[in-house]
Amino acid sequence: MAPRAGGQTYGFPIYCASWLPLADIIKPSPSADGDADADASPALSSPPPPPMVALGGGGGEGRSGVPNALVVAALDPAAAGAPPALSPEPVFRLGTEEQVPYRMAVHPRGDGLLCAFPNGCRLVRWESPEGEDPHSLVLRSDQEALVKLKDVGLQLAVSFSGEGSILATGGEDGHLRVFKWPGMETIIEDPDAKTSVKDLSFSSDEKFLVVNRSSGPSRVWDLKSSEAVANLPREQGEIFGFCRFSTKSDNSQILFVTAMQGDYGKIISWNTTSWTRIGSKKVTRDAISAFSVSPDGTLLAIGTIEGSISVLGSRDMRVVVTVKKAHLGIVTTLAFSQDSRALLSTSFDSTARVTSTESPKSNGISLWSMVLAIILAILVYYYMQHKEDLLAMLPQ
């Protein structure tokens, strides 16, 4: 299958993806010349490595011939006027045998990549020979880590907190587990077998964890006391989907929750002091299959089961960028780059796409200016052709 414009394919359905924190992964080369390097001209220093992503997925346990794998891919340097895109050749590929990577969480400080497989979780470590060439990056499975998550079944939600000191997982069996990282001491354990965990999100200050389940309200956990402190109820007909905290310009927190209500997908915003609704807006007529909030808190992104993606302003929910049929299948993952200027999207159609989140800039004369100029020219032409008739109509 040929990739869509701006997309890249790596030969397997993609279920999960994330940008990599290269600044915490790539080891700088030791200086061979001591202080001589410090005096080197900045113009001669090597350029920063291109942004990279990790992608996971595959054909599952069946004999489809489609491999299960984790892939690291780099962003191609964009040519002038060209949209950003991933390189067709991956930096590294790690086969995962009969186990398909279904969810992933990259540690924000470079400790590794946690993958959720159908039978449990595994940690994959980075190995990078000393040097600043990111194409030397390889992945190695750490068999000793995550013993407490080895045989816990499929985890539908996995996440590290913003500083990387806490790990949370939520299972298809409804079991919520929250640990200190890296010691894996248990902070919260909630084995609710009646509902599956659909999504979870940490507040940026690591005070709260919000958990969405397949039924019932969103639940807010206080991570210091390990107690549930609030339930966020649904309105009639609402089915909650994804949840994400976001930091506003004044450093206060806001919580966004996606929901389907009838034929509409909407985004609900919540005050994180009183835990009350402060806004709600319908944003799509298709089911929302993926959701993300930009690191700078200014943008939201939704992906749909029809393969479309939209980027919205977080303050007014107005669409900034939309790409209809960005993928031929369900959008499975959305992730903003660290600088919030690019959006990674993946799909069952085996494609990974990078979309610029910046609004198209005006190229001199805007469309409306051109329309007004044309209308004015028509009026002037009409006046010149009928000047005498028009003057005759004026009162003498």
Side-chain angles (χ1 to χ4, degrees), residues 27 46 59 70-71 100 117 142-143 159 165 173 175 200 216 227 237 259 311 323 331 338 358 373 394:
K27 300 175 183 178
S46 58
L70 287 170
V71 163
V100 57
F117 296 93
D142 187 337
Q143 302 295 334
S159 180
S165 63
D173 61 359
H175 203 133
L200 48 80
E227 298 289 337
V311 179
V323 185
V331 178
Q338 285 91 340
E358 297 178 299
L394 294 175

Side-chain angles (χ1 to χ4, degrees), residues 202-242:
F202 287 100
S203 61
S204 62
D205 55 12
E206 298 191 341
K207 290 182 178 179
F208 299 107
L209 174 72
V210 169
V211 180
N212 277 2
R213 293 181 174 272
S214 55
S215 64
S218 291
R219 178 165 290 182
V220 183
W221 293 85
D222 184 305
L223 294 170
K224 186 174 182 179
S225 66
S226 300
E227 298 289 337
V229 294
N231 288 322
L232 310 183
R234 310 167 189 234
E235 293 183 350
Q236 185 174 3
E238 286 182 343
I239 302 174
F240 284 173
F242 300 94

Side-chain angles (χ1 to χ4, degrees), residues 155-195:
Q155 303 300 292
L156 297 179
V158 293
S159 180
F160 288 102
S161 62
E163 293 299 318
S165 63
I166 309 174
L167 166 66
T169 71
E172 187 177 37
D173 61 359
H175 203 133
L176 171 68
R177 298 174 174 87
V178 185
F179 306 98
K180 292 182 180 179
W181 183 268
M184 296 294 288
E185 298 93 347
T186 298
I187 298 174
I188 297 171
E189 189 161 9
D190 182 31
D192 185 348
K194 297 179 182 179
T195 60

Side-chain angles (χ1 to χ4, degrees), residues 237-241 258-266 284-288:
E238 286 182 343
I239 302 174
F240 284 173
T258 68
M260 291 302 299
Q261 188 173 35
D263 295 332
Y264 290 93
K266 63 182 186 178
T284 179
R285 297 203 66 170
D286 297 324
I288 298 173

